[in-house]
Amino acid sequence: MGSDIFQLIRELVYTPRVKKISIYDDDRFYKRAYGNIGLYYSKWLQIQRELSLRKLTEGSEYQEELKYDFNIKGELRHLDTNESFVFNYYKNGHEQNHKRYEVLGHFITQYVYELLERVCMLQKVCIPTDATEDEPRSFFFMSKNALTSSSCLIILLQDRGVFCAGQWGRRAVVSEGLRHGTQIPFIKMALQSHWEVIVLNPNDNFTDLKTEKERFSSRGEELTFTESVWWIPKRGSSSPEEHTLYVWDHFIAKSAARNMAFIAHGYGGLVFVDLLVQRKSEVMNKVYSVAFIDSLHNVQHQSRHDPEIQEWIHRNCREWVSNSKPLNKTVGFLMRVSCPAFSAGTEKYGLAPSCCLQPIFKFLKSMLKVKITTTLRNSPVTTRSSTSKKRGNK
């Protein structure tokens, strides 16, 4: 067992809040041989047996073309050659290669959903809450006590694209692995800080008239996304903006959390500002900070030059941008200035979220400390003299 195995165990499995993962009967052996880390290793073995990308692809029409799985480092590798994913599988067949990539993306999405539920122990919540039995529904994920705990609540909001909840980007998952392409390290960091988490699903907007099984069963008769396909919008989630607003109104705004923060990547930043404009007073009262990553928002345009919104964003938000400068160095913008900006430590857009994870959480924790200190300073303090005065006035 190499150090890479233990590192992944520490990063993806060992979280104080995760207590429900089933384990092997031989846990005592691992415990005696390797101490606590041996126990986590046996748990990871159990997860590896039960969760596998290969298990999802087996039985499909693409099981030979997609002989890939994630290794112990979370990297996507071919099961026979151990090579990274090869896009040009079919010679001179761009359309076939693209379809194969789409199918892989579909299975990765299902695999990440399983990781969110089984490894991160998040709960899947279907919306709209009043949907009929046969109505198309969307969903999002949240930690068990996200609505009832008074601790800090972190909301993750990704970029626009074909990828769904739990992913920062499909290409990053395929080329760089789970650590860089998924939100799992962010979820783990939040849970280890004893914070609650909500993972939005803003890109799950439509349902195809064909079922997912039908769409991926016959590669020779497949309808591509450019062909005539009937799509049904999902009520409450027909766009990233509508999805986020719905989850805010029906869940986040009703949460017992005293302090909330958003982490928004790409188009997700624009979606957050839209939420801020739509629910101005609520968001300003409940959200203490926002970490933007390569955000596409435009405060002046979206807020219609509302000075209160502009001042709130400048005071409570920070942005990390893809840049050639070292991580967390100040970056200046002449054309678009809305809040202080810092380098993400990479010029690759898809790697920006994972590269700036540490400074983002450092920022959120420092802002939370300021918020709590300010609240305590401004709260009335009962003293003996004030208490005696009250008694004397009775």
Side-chain angles (χ1 to χ4, degrees):
M1 295 181 292
S3 60
D4 55 335
I5 295 178
F6 295 130
Q7 180 64 21
L8 189 66
I9 293 167
R10 294 187 186 101
E11 293 190 1
L12 295 185
V13 179
Y14 178 54
T15 301
R17 303 286 293 281
V18 177
K19 300 179 180 178
K20 297 183 179 180
I21 301 175
S22 59
I23 56 179
Y24 284 147
D25 293 333
D26 57 353
D27 279 340
R28 293 179 182 176
F29 168 77
Y30 283 106
K31 181 81 172 179
R32 286 197 306 269
Y34 303 104
N36 288 333
I37 195 65
L39 180 61
Y40 304 134
Y41 178 64
S42 66
K43 292 180 180 180
W44 176 246
L45 287 176
Q46 175 72 10
I47 294 171
Q48 284 289 74
R49 288 186 182 179
E50 296 178 358
L51 304 183
S52 167
L53 179 69
R54 182 55 180 167
K55 284 186 178 180
L56 295 175
T57 58
E58 283 180 344
S60 74
E61 291 293 323
Y62 284 82
Q63 64 178 355
E64 285 303 314
E65 294 93 328
L66 294 176
K67 292 183 67 174
Y68 290 89
D69 209 340
F70 291 101
N71 62 20
I72 199 68
K73 295 181 181 180
E75 303 164 332
L76 188 67
R77 293 290 183 266
H78 195 277
L79 293 174
D80 295 334
T81 65
N82 200 38
E83 294 180 351
S84 302
F85 179 77
V86 177
F87 180 82
N88 295 316
Y89 182 84
Y90 304 102
K91 292 183 178 180
N92 303 319
H94 178 77
E95 211 171 294
Q96 284 180 296
N97 287 322
H98 180 67
K99 184 58 187 177
R100 172 172 168 267
Y101 182 73
E102 279 188 337
V103 175
L104 174 65
H106 166 77
F107 288 123
I108 286 177
T109 294
Q110 302 308 311
Y111 180 67
V112 172
Y113 287 163
E114 290 189 348
L115 291 179
L116 293 181
E117 293 189 271
R118 298 290 303 281
V119 176
C120 300
M121 303 304 293
L122 302 186
Q123 299 176 343
K124 181 180 178 180
V125 182
C126 293
I127 55 175
T129 55
D130 60 346
T132 59
E133 188 175 342
D134 58 347
E135 182 180 358
R137 293 183 294 175
S138 184
F139 55 90
F140 66 97
F141 294 89
M142 67 179 183
S143 53
K144 181 180 178 181
N145 300 315
L147 303 183
T148 57
S149 174
S150 61
S151 64
C152 183
L153 174 63
I154 302 295
I155 301 102
L156 301 179
L157 184 53
Q158 72 263 45
D159 196 9
R160 178 170 53 183
V162 295
F163 44 91
C164 295
Q167 300 179 56
W168 290 123
R170 177 187 293 178
R171 184 177 299 178
V173 173
V174 173
S175 61
E176 304 294 338
L178 298 172
R179 288 177 182 162
H180 293 283
T182 74
Q183 298 173 345
I184 291 176
F186 284 76
I187 297 169
K188 181 220 52 157
M189 185 78 76
L191 294 178
Q192 285 187 339
S193 300
H194 301 284
W195 294 351
E196 301 298 332
V197 178
I198 286 182
V199 178
L200 295 176
N201 199 13
N203 300 319
D204 181 36
N205 310 129
F206 299 92
T207 295
D208 191 348
L209 281 180
K210 292 172 173 281
T211 64
E212 291 296 309
K213 182 177 180 181
E214 290 171 338
R215 287 175 58 207
F216 292 102
S217 62
S218 176
R219 66 196 149 180
E221 301 176 359
E222 283 294 336
L223 288 173
T224 67
F225 290 108
T226 58
E227 292 175 330
S228 178
V229 178
W230 289 96
W231 295 96
I232 302 176
K234 297 183 177 181
R235 181 164 60 92
S237 295
S238 63
S239 69
E241 291 86 347
E242 186 179 47
H243 172 87
T244 302
L245 186 62
Y246 185 93
V247 178
W248 174 272
D249 287 341
H250 293 81
F251 296 92
I252 301 175
K254 298 177 181 180
S255 170
R258 297 173 184 172
N259 303 291
M260 302 177 183
F262 275 75
I263 301 176
H265 179 221
Y267 192 80
L270 183 149
V271 173
F272 171 79
V273 174
D274 178 80
L275 174 67
L276 175 59
V277 173
Q278 297 289 337
R279 299 291 185 268
K280 178 178 172 180
S281 59
E282 278 189 358
V283 173
M284 286 185 174
N285 287 330
K286 293 180 177 294
V287 178
Y288 76 89
S289 190
V290 180
F292 292 117
I293 309 169
D294 281 325
S295 178
L296 298 180
H297 72 270
N298 187 311
V299 176
Q300 288 76 15
H301 174 72
Q302 290 182 263
S303 68
R304 297 179 178 84
H305 299 282
D306 184 330
E308 191 176 6
I309 288 179
Q310 294 181 28
E311 195 276 332
W312 186 91
I313 288 181
H314 185 78
R315 185 178 69 251
N316 296 285
C317 304
R318 296 290 183 274
E319 181 169 5
W320 280 263
V321 297
S322 302
N323 194 272
S324 59
K325 288 187 176 182
L327 178 63
N328 220 35
K329 294 296 182 181
T330 303
V331 176
F333 281 97
L334 297 178
M335 299 297 293
R336 184 174 68 88
V337 178
S338 61
C339 63
F342 301 87
S343 172
T346 179
E347 295 183 82
K348 296 181 179 180
Y349 180 85
L351 297 183
S354 61
C355 288
C356 57
L357 181 150
Q358 295 291 341
I360 282 178
F361 273 90
K362 184 177 181 180
F363 162 69
L364 294 180
K365 289 179 179 180
S366 66
M367 290 293 288
L368 180 60
K369 185 176 181 180
V370 171
K371 166 79 182 302
I372 294 175
T373 301
T374 303
T375 301
L376 291 175
R377 187 184 301 125
N378 295 334
S379 63
V381 180
T382 303
T383 62
R384 271 186 199 175
S385 58
S386 62
T387 303
S388 60
K389 288 180 181 179
K390 287 182 180 178
R391 290 175 179 171
N393 291 332
K394 286 184 179 181

